[in-house]
Amino acid sequence: MTSEKAQTDDTGPSVAREQHDPAEESVRVRSSGGAEFVVRLLRAERPDAPVALVVPAMGARARFYAPFARGLHQGGLHVAVTDLRGQGESTPMARRGVAYGYREMVDDDLPAVARAVSAAFPRSPVVLIGHSLGGQLALLSSATELTGVHAVVLTAAGSVWWRGFGWVRGPRNLVGSQLFAALATVLGYWPGERLGFGGTQPTAVMRDWARQGRTGRYTLRGSDTDYEAALARLTLPVLAVGVENDSLAPPGATDHLLQKIPAAPVSRWHYSEALASSHRLDHFRWVRHSDGMSAYITDWIFGTLTTQEGQLR
């Protein structure tokens, strides 16, 4: 499998690049199992403007999305960004002996954060914007109707089912994902910071990821919920944004993910280097050159979410 770190040395998740916006607010949210989150907020001028709640990729810190968040905010949206459990400012820190997987993030964390965001912006509809794994988690949580959000945007997000990557890359991904999960099981955690893929993760996250890569289905450890059936019933508007040169979420992987939500009204858009002022793009680099993407997503949100009185904007 291709290393996320190797692909994104100059633009990938980086603590050194984190900066606090002076206009930013924050709220603390507690979920299950002692998990706590710092949710960073940017308020739009209009109190009833929609809220874009950004959900990071595996191993990416919330602060990495600052350029994207600023673009959404400049377009007139409220914006909220937080880390996934065990990453960045959230707790418990992912390490050996810490046990949580997709289920905790889908059933407990995202609903708790979405409730806190709704409380901070009581007049505003909430839209989940999920990058990569964050997009998968956003869909799963929204499909179970736990978040109460009004729409979902997928950015560089797709199923990790190996057949979605073609007959050359797919088998390599299958073997690699199962080896990664096996190594995480042996070590008691996934040392992704050292190995260059996915950040430091608990074993269960890697096993959930590998299971979906192997079977194509979302069967989450510790849950008896039929997530595939829930996805099939999802009727929220969904925007799927593909990114040029994205080998980690190619069109085939996005196709497989979107096939799971046949009842949802789905729009698709491709973010090319031409639309990014000729900057080099890939699975992570788009965040640093996201003005064009944030503008398109903002327009889609305002155009999609309506009130009884008509358009929100």
Side-chain angles (χ1 to χ4, degrees):
M1 297 187 67
T2 303
S3 163
E4 294 186 17
K5 182 177 179 181
Q7 287 192 354
T8 59
D9 283 342
D10 61 340
T11 55
S14 172
V15 177
R17 294 188 178 93
E18 295 177 3
Q19 295 180 352
H20 291 269
D21 190 313
E24 182 183 83
E25 305 171 29
S26 66
V27 295
R28 290 189 174 272
V29 177
R30 180 181 291 272
S31 181
S32 66
E36 294 188 358
F37 305 85
V38 177
V39 185
R40 304 287 177 179
L41 308 174
L42 291 171
R43 291 188 180 272
E45 291 184 5
R46 285 188 53 177
D48 62 346
V51 188
L53 172 51
V54 179
V55 186
M58 180 189 289
R61 297 190 177 189
R63 283 294 177 191
F64 173 61
Y65 297 91
F68 183 47
R70 285 194 296 269
L72 295 170
H73 182 243
Q74 289 166 3
L77 297 172
H78 301 299
V79 183
V81 188
T82 194
D83 291 291
L84 294 178
R85 184 184 291 218
Q87 309 299 308
E89 296 179 297
S90 73
T91 63
M93 183 175 65
R95 62 183 184 276
R96 184 181 292 107
V98 172
Y100 66 84
Y102 281 17
R103 188 203 65 77
E104 287 80 2
M105 294 188 281
V106 166
D107 291 355
D108 301 331
D109 300 347
L110 280 180
V113 170
R115 287 193 297 270
V117 169
S118 292
F121 304 101
R123 298 175 57 186
S124 302
V126 178
V127 178
L128 290 180
I129 302 181
H131 175 208
S132 193
L133 175 62
Q136 297 174 64
L137 300 177
L139 273 185
L140 289 167
S141 194
S142 299
T144 55
E145 301 182 348
L146 294 172
T147 58
V149 301
H150 293 72
V152 178
V153 176
L154 308 174
T155 61
S159 163
V160 296
W161 187 46
W162 67 278
R163 291 185 183 273
F165 290 81
W167 290 105
V168 175
R169 185 177 177 83
R172 183 175 62 180
N173 282 11
L174 175 62
V175 173
S177 64
Q178 306 315 298
L179 288 176
F180 287 6
L183 181 58
T185 300
V186 171
L187 296 177
Y189 77 114
W190 172 250
E193 295 288 346
R194 297 205 305 269
L195 298 181
F197 180 87
T200 302
Q201 302 292 340
T203 299
V205 166
M206 300 306 293
R207 295 181 70 170
D208 285 339
W209 172 75
R211 185 186 306 110
Q212 203 270 316
R214 180 177 68 252
T215 67
R217 297 179 58 81
Y218 290 100
T219 305
L220 309 191
R221 177 196 61 84
S223 176
D224 57 4
T225 298
D226 188 338
Y227 294 96
E228 294 289 326
L231 287 168
R233 294 190 297 267
L234 180 70
T235 57
L236 294 177
V238 174
L239 170 64
V241 179
V243 174
E244 190 167 351
N245 304 314
D246 188 354
S247 61
L248 297 177
T254 301
D255 290 344
H256 185 250
L257 182 60
L258 296 179
Q259 288 167 9
K260 295 178 180 293
I261 53 171
V266 175
S267 302
R268 296 187 72 165
W269 186 65
H270 183 71
Y271 191 46
S272 66
E273 292 181 352
L275 295 172
S277 301
S278 299
H279 289 292
R280 171 74 174 173
L281 300 178
D282 65 16
H283 191 68
F284 282 108
R285 285 188 174 95
W286 69 264
V287 176
R288 294 296 170 190
H289 311 293
S290 56
D291 288 350
M293 184 188 290
S294 60
Y296 186 91
I297 290 173
T298 299
D299 285 344
W300 182 86
I301 289 174
F302 276 114
T304 299
L305 300 184
T306 59
T307 63
Q308 292 181 348
E309 291 76 27
Q311 294 291 334
L312 289 165
R313 182 170 69 177

